[in-house]
Amino acid sequence: MHQHKVILILIDGLGWHVARHAMGYLHALCESRQASVFKLQCELPSLSRPLYECILTGSNPVVSGIRHNQIVQLSKQESIFHLARKARLKTAAAAYSWISELYNRAPYDAVRDRFTHDPSLAIQHGIFYHEDSYPDSHLLLDAEHLRTTHDPDFLFIHTMNVDDMGHRSGGDSADYRNAARKVDVLLSHYLPVWQEQGYKIIVTADHGMNVDHSHGGHLPEEREVPLFLVGQGFNHKAAGTEIKQVQIRDLCALALGLAVNRNDELKPFLS
């Protein structure tokens, strides 16, 4: 059993208004008290790269300096990958290329970086993609390959098809909602295995999507996102307790058994 291993899943662009009715399997876990769900408000601006940095370092965009998607540089903050490496834990990610640029090497070079296996990097084992239409089904296979081959203590999984469909068809479209349903079905293949093996699993989103096929502002459909905590390692009686997007890094660290600042208010979320 993996008592102190964590999988963080980021479903890019999944707004609360769709997550609350389209993610049937995740909500089934909540109803059976194997998971709990919270509504978060993302930081501003509600853009992807700034919010990747927010989720993975606990720094909002004004503090981190990653203010928009075109800033291509290594993070100057201490990410969950760096915290894990300091503790001699193993890290891995199946994720969009911007994650590699933030925490491994910038700019991203697909030939060099798509398949990364380097113990000196913050993300030691990575399979990165660079097209928004890269299938979520393939991405989850990449993640499972990393998990079974390298047995990381912290695994980050980052899907893109929900966001891609939102940009193509809008946040109030069948395509967007069905992309959410599809990734929920895909997760239903993997979550039982990971739960059985004792992983603490966190599922969240960076931002939502508006009817104009975009995001970046402070409309509720852009800012409100879900946070699902899955597995026996979490206290599912803590539902209703407030949690913020900037606390996700420290929640991951605490779940890994790492000491972090300001963690007392997060302890109720762990069993």
Side-chain angles (χ1 to χ4, degrees):
M1 295 289 287
H2 298 312
Q3 296 299 322
H4 294 292
K5 295 199 174 186
V6 174
I7 297 174
L8 173 60
I9 303 169
L10 175 61
I11 303 175
D12 206 294
L14 178 64
W16 171 258
H17 66 294
V18 169
R20 68 183 179 184
H21 64 75
M23 312 301 285
Y25 183 72
L26 282 168
H27 282 289
L29 292 177
C30 293
E31 289 188 0
S32 63
R33 303 214 175 164
Q34 298 179 52
S36 48
V37 63
F38 305 85
K39 179 169 70 172
L40 308 188
Q41 181 167 266
C42 80
E43 297 295 317
L44 289 172
S46 52
L47 295 170
S48 292
R49 196 188 298 250
L51 295 179
Y52 302 162
E53 175 79 339
C54 175
I55 290 167
L56 293 166
T57 72
S59 297
N60 68 42
V62 173
V63 172
S64 73
I66 307 297
R67 302 177 303 277
H68 55 77
N69 287 340
Q70 286 68 49
I71 293 178
V72 179
Q73 65 182 44
L74 284 172
S75 169
K76 298 177 182 178
Q77 309 298 314
E78 190 169 48
S79 74
I80 184 62
F81 301 109
H82 293 93
L83 287 174
R85 293 298 302 120
K86 278 187 177 181
R88 300 184 181 275
L89 301 181
K90 193 181 298 184
T91 61
Y96 195 58
S97 59
W98 292 359
I99 299 298
S100 177
E101 288 181 327
L102 281 167
Y103 307 110
N104 273 1
R105 292 181 285 230
Y108 172 79
D109 180 327
V111 173
R112 178 192 65 190
D113 300 324
R114 172 154 164 70
F115 300 101
T116 294
H117 301 289
D118 186 335
S120 70
L121 295 175
I123 305 172
Q124 297 170 298
H125 304 285
I127 301 178
F128 299 102
Y129 62 98
H130 46 271
E131 294 184 1
D132 292 8
S133 59
Y134 188 70
D136 289 350
S137 58
H138 292 37
L139 183 279
L140 284 162
L141 286 170
D142 293 343
E144 188 66 349
H145 171 77
L146 291 169
R147 188 187 71 85
T148 57
T149 303
H150 300 288
D151 192 27
D153 299 284
F154 178 73
L155 173 61
F156 179 63
I157 303 174
H158 175 205
T159 70
M160 189 62 75
N161 292 171
V162 174
D163 183 75
D164 187 39
M165 284 301 171
H167 284 297
R168 292 171 185 264
S169 302
D172 190 25
S173 68
D175 287 342
Y176 178 66
R177 292 187 292 270
N178 284 331
R181 295 180 180 111
K182 183 175 181 180
V183 73
D184 178 75
V185 170
L186 290 170
L187 288 174
S188 74
H189 291 280
Y190 296 97
L191 289 177
V193 175
W194 301 339
Q195 288 177 260
E196 179 67 25
Q197 295 191 21
Y199 286 90
K200 298 182 182 78
I201 306 158
I202 301 172
V203 183
T204 191
D206 46 354
H207 55 73
M209 186 70 59
N210 62 39
V211 297
D212 297 330
H213 304 208
S214 65
H215 49 86
H218 58 85
L219 291 171
E221 56 266 36
E222 297 172 88
R223 294 197 72 179
E224 293 177 353
V225 296
L227 176 73
F228 294 90
L229 304 180
V230 183
Q232 296 179 357
F234 292 109
N235 173 22
H236 302 304
K237 296 179 181 179
T241 307
E242 183 179 358
I243 186 168
K244 299 178 181 178
Q245 193 174 52
V246 294
Q247 295 177 299
I248 293 175
R249 184 206 72 160
D250 285 358
L251 181 62
C252 290
L254 201 60
L256 284 167
L258 306 179
V260 291
N261 295 328
R262 309 179 309 278
N263 65 4
D264 287 345
E265 59 199 52
L266 295 174
K267 287 181 180 178
F269 293 96
L270 297 175
S271 61

